[in-house]
Structures are given as structure tokens and as C-alpha cells.
């Protein structure tokens, strides 16, 4: 399987949700925040990661790609292994099965969240649900009066 098939698959999920693709990013610009989905290739193999997050329009990015960033992942080892296998294009998984399972995971974990985040208050709710805040830029924590 090739990356272009994965990109086309991601287009089919995010374009109807009014995200526009630019390179490996799908972006939905809003009044106070921008929502971003990113397809990242592993530097070690033909495997990929899906990252998603938010840019606060009132804050400079200061060399960050987003202010709040999350990687699509599972805490449970068996679920994470399945996701890793699906996103590793070197694995010999039936194309339809791969995309069916990936679509289910992406809809449940990514689309459900990003489709409920349209304001800074919504971003704050996302931050308050995070187990750890050490990956959040200090300027964002200060903006929301949060501490690690």
C-alpha cells in the first residue's frame, strides 16, 4: 500500500467536515481557533501517525505547529498494537479491512473530539481532560491559567 492511498482515505473523512488539505495537514479555520489534523510518517519505516490539535488565533505559535496537540493512540496495549499495524503500510492487511477499521477508530477518537471543539472554551475543556500537560506550550498554560 502507498501513502497516496492513505492520504486519499483521510481526504474522504475530513473534506466533508470542511477541512482543507495542505500537504500532510487538514485544517479547518475558525473565528477563534483552527483545528488541525496531521499525518506524520515515521522516520524508521513506512508507518504513520495521526496527530490532531488546535491553534488559538489569539496566541502566536512561536515555532509550534499547534498549541494543543494529541496523537491518536490507545492506553490499552492490544488496541495500540492494532492501530500501529493498521497505520504501518508495510503490513499485508487487506485494503478494505484496513480502511474500515481505521475509519471506525478515527471517527470514534478524532472526529468525535474535533467536531465538538469550536471555541477557546472547548479547547480548555480538552486540556482539562488531559492526563498530562507537559507537552502544552507554556504560553498556552499561562493563557488558560493552568499549571502542570
Amino acid at each position: 500500500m502507498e501513502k497516496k492511498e492513505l492520504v486519499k482515505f483521510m481526504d474522504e473523512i475530513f473534506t466533508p467536515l470542511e477541512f482543507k488539505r495542505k500537504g500532510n495537514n487538514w485544517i479547518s479555520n475558525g473565528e477563534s481557533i483552527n483545528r488541525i489534523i496531521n499525518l506524520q510518517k515515521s522516520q524508521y519505516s513506512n508507518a504513520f501517525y495521526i496527530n490532531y490539535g488546535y491553534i488559538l488565533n489569539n496566541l502566536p505559535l512561536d515555532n509550534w505547529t499547534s498549541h494543543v496537540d494529541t496523537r491518536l493512540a490507545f492506553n490499552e496495549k492490544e488496541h495500540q498494537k492494532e492501530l500501529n499495524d493498521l497505520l504501518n503500510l508495510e503490513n499485508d492487511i487487506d485494503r478494505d479491512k484496513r480502511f474500515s477499521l481505521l475509519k471506525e477508530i478515527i471517527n470514534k477518537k478524532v472526529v468525535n473530539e474535533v467536531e465538538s471543539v469550536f471555541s477557546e472554551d472547548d479547547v480548555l475543556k480538552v486540556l482539562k481532560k488531559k492526563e498530562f500537560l507537559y507537552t502544552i506550550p507554556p504560553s498556552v498554560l499561562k493563557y488558560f491559567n493552568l499549571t502542570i
Side-chain angles (χ1 to χ4, degrees), residues 71-98:
R71 174 164 285 167
L72 174 60
F74 289 96
N75 290 331
E76 304 87 10
K77 286 183 182 181
E78 63 194 50
H79 287 51
Q80 185 60 45
K81 182 183 178 333
E82 177 185 35
L83 177 61
N84 290 347
D85 289 345
L86 292 170
L87 289 171
N88 184 346
L89 303 187
E90 293 172 4
N91 286 342
D92 190 25
I93 300 172
D94 176 75
R95 182 186 181 282
D96 292 338
K97 180 179 180 182
R98 180 191 307 265

Side-chain angles (χ1 to χ4, degrees), residues 10-148:
M10 300 274 291
D11 274 340
E12 291 169 1
I13 293 175
F14 294 107
T15 301
L17 301 175
E18 299 184 14
F19 282 78
K20 296 191 181 348
R21 182 167 62 89
K22 185 174 183 178
N24 291 329
N25 296 311
W26 287 261
I27 301 169
S28 174
N29 293 320
E31 195 172 303
S32 62
I33 68 158
N34 299 330
R35 302 173 298 163
I36 186 166
I37 314 296
N38 167 261
L39 183 62
Q40 177 186 355
K41 186 179 182 309
S42 168
Q43 59 186 7
Y44 303 107
S45 67
N46 200 21
F48 290 83
Y49 306 101
I50 297 173
N51 307 302
Y52 57 100
Y54 312 99
I55 297 169
L56 304 170
N57 294 337
N58 285 331
L59 283 180
L61 275 173
D62 293 331
N63 295 322
W64 295 86
T65 56
S66 65
H67 291 110
V68 177
D69 196 29
T70 303
R71 174 164 285 167
L72 174 60
F74 289 96
N75 290 331
E76 304 87 10
K77 286 183 182 181
E78 63 194 50
H79 287 51
Q80 185 60 45
K81 182 183 178 333
E82 177 185 35
L83 177 61
N84 290 347
D85 289 345
L86 292 170
L87 289 171
N88 184 346
L89 303 187
E90 293 172 4
N91 286 342
D92 190 25
I93 300 172
D94 176 75
R95 182 186 181 282
D96 292 338
K97 180 179 180 182
R98 180 191 307 265
F99 286 151
S100 174
L101 293 170
L102 268 176
K103 185 172 185 175
E104 185 179 322
I105 293 167
I106 291 169
N107 280 331
K108 187 185 294 184
K109 302 242 338 166
V110 180
V111 172
N112 277 350
E113 180 179 310
V114 299
E115 281 295 284
S116 68
V117 178
F118 293 96
S119 69
E120 288 183 358
D121 286 340
D122 296 334
V123 172
L124 179 57
K125 289 176 191 171
V126 168
L127 286 170
K128 287 183 175 180
K129 289 180 188 174
K130 284 189 171 286
E131 186 175 356
F132 302 107
L133 294 175
Y134 60 84
T135 61
I136 306 300
S139 61
V140 175
L141 296 175
K142 184 177 179 182
Y143 186 78
F144 285 117
N145 287 323
L146 298 171
T147 56
I148 296 178

